[in-house]
Amino acid sequence: MTTLFRPSRRRLLTGAGTLAAASAIPTGWAIAQAKPLKVGLMLPYSGTFAKLGENITLAVELLIAEKGGKLGGRDVQIIKLDDESKPEVGPQNAERLIKRDGADVVIGTVHSGVQMGIHKVVRETGTLCIIPNAGANAVTRELCAKNVFRTSFTNWQPGYGMGLALAKKGIKKAAWVTWDYAAGNESGAGFREGLETGGGKVVQELKLPFPQTNFQPLLAQIPGLDVEVVGAFFAGGGAVQFVKEYKAAGLKAPLTGSGFLTDGTLEAQGAAADGLETALHYGDGIDNPKNAAFRKAFKDKTQRDADVYAVQGYDAAQLLAIGLEAVKGNIEDEANLYKAMRAAKIDSPRGPLTLSASQETVHNIYLRRVENGQNKVVGIAAPNLADPGTGCKLA
Ligand code: BEZ
């Protein structure tokens, strides 16, 4: 059997395509190309991360619309699955999307725990996966895989950037507050590492299970810690509530952390977020033509303001488009598809975006301050920051 007529791994998984392969009629690739490319979006559309999943989806749809509804010359069919940010059903949801619904590529997800379930399944099936948010370090470190790319961040990156910025300001004593799961814990480890570069310390970590929001027992402990700042990881609905309750508690230590604390949340947080400084790979007012065009197009199409999640979704679709254009829509040509994706130079609203050898983002981590309802960029906490990719053998 020639490569040209090799039945796709995904069609084998679903059982379709067997007839064409068996009859050896030169229809395999031609038929596959005539069929729409199935892009599976496995994202949260309910719960505390619902808005994050929605904005990623809207931005993926925006990029596809800008490309005339085609990627690499192929029509695109989007299949959506609400993963509800539930890690316990992550693997079975990913299997449904790939094996039952026949997704050729998975764009997902937001929650680091759910990502580990997707990762297991895409590694087993060899399905292309582009991660548009979840920062779980392992997927581009010791568990990296040639079919897995990320256009968002590792949990380590923004935490480390914030810690570095505080170290430069001479901060010596901090606390870390978070949901107790990979995103919060790995961000906290990055924050600690950054702070330690200046001799600072995280003296206490305060945690509650995801997605609980009973913050009062944690907030009550902060005055007794006598810290100069409090770093935090929360996102979505949980971040809205945490920032409001922190402000209402009248605590003297300034609140800071990974920029998810104030991204996509400012309207709901109102004055409670004013003046907060955080670190992230995006800021509302980044001054480049791509950001201006993207923000306008996103607003025109969705009546929403763009945020970091929309940017990450748009870049996931941009990366997929670059790969598919290189292989003229033939997603089975994995060698050339992955080669083009690895070499991609993405014109991102965040600024130039490239991928490291572990297929992970290399980008600026900006220092931002909330002013007039925006995350205004006030500096660069860590320029061109690459994750260490520890344990990844992709070269
Ligand atoms: C995560 O679970 O990896 C995550 C969720 C929301 C924002 C950032 C990271």
Side-chain angles (χ1 to χ4, degrees), residues 307-365:
D307 57 14
V308 70
Y309 308 106
V311 170
Q312 294 166 170
Y314 190 74
D315 290 343
Q318 290 209 82
L319 179 62
L320 181 59
I322 289 170
L324 287 169
E325 277 156 22
V327 295
K328 298 191 171 44
N330 182 4
I331 198 164
E332 299 305 317
D333 182 0
E334 287 172 357
N336 287 313
L337 176 72
Y338 298 161
K339 188 170 165 209
M341 291 174 74
R342 282 170 68 81
K345 291 192 183 351
I346 301 171
D347 185 12
S348 169
R350 75 188 86 178
L353 172 64
T354 55
L355 299 180
S356 66
S358 57
Q359 306 182 164
E360 180 57 70
T361 48
V362 181
H363 49 194
N364 290 334
I365 300 294

Side-chain angles (χ1 to χ4, degrees), residues 7-22 35 38 95 98-104:
S8 87
R9 179 184 60 267
R10 281 164 289 279
R11 279 181 286 125
L12 283 174
L13 284 169
T14 56
T18 314
L19 187 62
K35 282 196 202 158
K38 290 190 181 180
E95 287 205 350
I98 295 167
K99 296 185 182 171
R100 188 194 67 182
D101 302 337
D104 294 298

Side-chain angles (χ1 to χ4, degrees), residues 44 48-49 52 85 109-115 131 133-137 150 152-155 158 179 181-184 186-187 210 233-236 258 260-261 280-281 308-309 312:
T48 197
F49 289 161
L52 288 58
S85 295
T109 187
V110 166
H111 184 287
S112 278
V114 180
Q115 195 67 49
I131 306 168
N133 185 72
N137 290 341
R150 182 150 48 195
S152 49
F153 55 89
T154 59
N155 288 324
W179 279 313
Y181 82 109
E186 292 172 355
S187 303
F210 175 88
F233 169 85
F234 292 105
S258 296
F260 308 107
L261 204 55
L280 203 61
H281 45 285
V308 70
Y309 308 106
Q312 294 166 170

Side-chain angles (χ1 to χ4, degrees), residues 161-222:
M162 193 64 236
L164 269 188
L166 293 172
K168 285 191 188 125
K169 285 188 182 174
I171 298 293
K172 298 288 180 234
K173 220 175 148 190
W176 182 254
V177 191
T178 189
W179 279 313
D180 189 7
Y181 82 109
N185 294 329
E186 292 172 355
S187 303
F191 182 78
R192 179 188 294 271
E193 190 184 327
L195 199 59
E196 284 176 357
T197 62
K201 285 204 165 8
V202 173
V203 295
Q204 182 79 46
E205 294 193 357
L206 302 170
K207 301 181 188 182
L208 78 172
F210 175 88
Q212 290 180 17
T213 54
N214 180 19
F215 299 126
Q216 289 304 320
L218 305 186
L219 293 174
Q221 296 177 53
I222 291 173

